[in-house]
Amino acid sequence: MSRGTAVSAVVVFALALNLRPAVTSLGAALPDVSVAGGLTAAVLVALPLWAIGLGGWAAPWLYGRVGTHRTVTVSLVGLASSLAGRVLGGSALLLVGTVLACLSLAVLGTVLPLLARGSAAYPLGLGLGSTVGALVTPAAVTSSSWRVGLGLWAVAAVLTQQLWQRTPGELRVPRAASGKVRPYALTVYFGLVSTVTFLIMGRLPGILRDAGVSPATAGACLALSMALGLPMMWLVPGWTRRWPNQTLLVVVLALPNVVGVTGLLVAPAAAPWLWAGVTGLGMGSLAFALTTISVRSADDSPALSAVVQGVGYLVAGVGVLACGWLYTQTGSWRVPLLLVLAILLGQVVSGHVTVARAGSALFLRGRPA
């Protein structure tokens, strides 16, 4: 590995670390956020998805006019400012700050696949950021307050900005892999995967606490889920490029979430660590979707990434809000979790359609050098 490649991998990893703590920290602290209750909590879980979906459309415009370096700079500055600002007031400022933070994440998340181009540093950083956000935030909330627990992630964005400023010029990325995918199917797949992922990140502690699990254990279960997603984030990019039967891979990656959601539906308090662990393994589906976007983007254009992530996150926002609304209407997680099982079935179907056109041979030829 050349020095330039190593530096690029480190930079990609650092940038990816910032993509999830703004969301997982909110999910971990949500039961303790005094200004978020009832429907406000449901909106706060769905809001990041809508903001990320809409913000993704701005990335190609910025990228085309100011280049990679300034686009990433703008997103990091916006992220740090909004994360710090959202904890300084009541529910309105929390909502506005979350929107602005996720708009910044949208721009960063749309451009980052172009820098990663299938590198495991991208999903690994994403998974580690999810884990750290879920693990550190409850401890910060317990020792101080929810404002400190959420606001400290602005520091991570500032540090990453300092690293990015020391990255000279525009990072060059290799050409995309050969072989086409069906953009509409990949968009649906990404949207359904993101629905399940964000529900777990935002609602797992609440589901377990409603079942009688202690707050400390519920928070630790979320951290376990995020932690067990890490090896999947590391392994799945390689599997995506090597498995000859891509449909089988889609099914295998969906199965852990089927088991975990079924457990949460039938007996959530009986084995909370098990259900949390297998939902963490289910994060492999997100790594598969992100890797597919990364290696199939045409040349250096963020168009495929913008469309898939933009529309996909909007779809996910509807799904997450629907689950939250059903919970507020029924007072139980039974109906929302049944809906999640239906979403997982749709995930498998759309994933099969996504890979059917490209075929296994094209995926094998698409392996980066």
Side-chain angles (χ1 to χ4, degrees):
M1 180 181 292
S2 67
R3 182 179 183 276
T5 302
V7 170
S8 296
V10 170
V11 170
V12 167
F13 178 77
L15 292 172
L17 280 174
N18 287 270
L19 291 178
R20 287 294 179 265
V23 178
T24 56
S25 63
L26 184 59
L30 194 56
D32 300 298
V33 177
S34 58
V35 297
L39 190 57
T40 300
V43 172
L44 277 170
V45 177
L47 198 59
L49 291 159
W50 290 334
I52 292 173
L54 292 172
W57 294 98
W61 181 85
L62 276 173
Y63 180 87
R65 284 160 178 77
V66 302
T68 308
H69 206 277
R70 290 181 180 175
T71 298
V72 174
T73 297
V74 169
S75 65
L76 289 172
V77 171
L79 178 62
S81 302
S82 53
L83 289 179
R86 72 175 179 173
V87 300
L88 299 179
S91 58
L93 192 55
L94 180 62
L95 287 168
V96 172
T98 299
V99 169
L100 294 176
C102 291
L103 289 174
S104 300
L105 290 176
V107 174
L108 180 60
T110 302
V111 174
L112 196 49
L114 302 179
L115 305 179
R117 194 61 77 192
S119 168
Y122 175 28
L124 183 63
L126 187 72
L128 183 59
S130 301
T131 303
V132 172
L135 184 62
V136 173
T137 303
V141 171
T142 301
S143 62
S144 182
S145 69
W146 68 265
R147 297 184 190 276
V148 173
L150 295 183
L152 63 87
W153 301 108
V155 177
V158 171
L159 293 176
T160 305
Q161 166 62 10
Q162 294 302 307
L163 173 64
W164 180 252
Q165 287 301 106
R166 289 164 174 76
T167 303
E170 296 292 303
L171 291 180
R172 299 299 302 168
V173 296
R175 291 181 60 83
S178 60
K180 296 181 179 179
V181 296
R182 298 178 187 268
Y184 66 88
L186 180 57
T187 300
V188 173
Y189 179 74
F190 183 83
L192 298 182
V193 167
S194 297
T195 301
V196 178
T197 301
F198 275 75
L199 276 170
I200 292 169
M201 291 191 297
R203 290 296 197 172
L204 181 60
I207 293 172
L208 294 176
R209 287 172 67 162
D210 280 2
V213 177
S214 70
T217 300
C221 283
L222 177 60
L224 174 67
S225 178
M226 298 299 101
L228 288 183
L230 284 178
M232 300 303 291
M233 292 293 187
W234 176 262
L235 293 170
V236 169
W239 294 351
T240 304
R241 299 189 294 266
R242 295 181 180 90
W243 273 47
N245 189 331
Q246 294 285 301
T247 295
L248 178 60
L249 179 57
V250 167
V251 174
V252 168
L253 294 176
L255 280 177
N257 273 334
V258 173
V259 174
V261 172
T262 301
L264 291 171
L265 175 64
V266 176
W273 298 102
L274 176 60
W275 312 140
V278 291
T279 56
L281 297 178
M283 296 289 176
S285 293
L286 180 62
F288 176 81
L290 292 171
T291 303
T292 302
I293 294 170
S294 182
V295 300
R296 301 298 161 190
S297 295
D299 300 323
D300 296 345
S301 171
L304 178 63
S305 180
V307 170
V308 172
Q309 295 196 61
V311 178
Y313 278 127
L314 293 177
V315 170
V318 173
V320 168
L321 184 61
C323 289
W325 180 81
L326 287 171
Y327 170 70
T328 59
Q329 294 299 308
T330 63
S332 166
W333 283 105
R334 180 175 179 80
V335 176
L337 289 174
L338 287 172
L339 176 59
V340 174
L341 288 176
I343 289 171
L344 286 167
L345 176 60
Q347 175 184 314
V348 170
V349 173
S350 58
H352 164 69
V353 176
T354 296
V355 301
R357 183 180 179 188
S360 60
L362 286 176
F363 273 85
L364 290 171
R365 286 201 300 270
R367 285 170 50 184

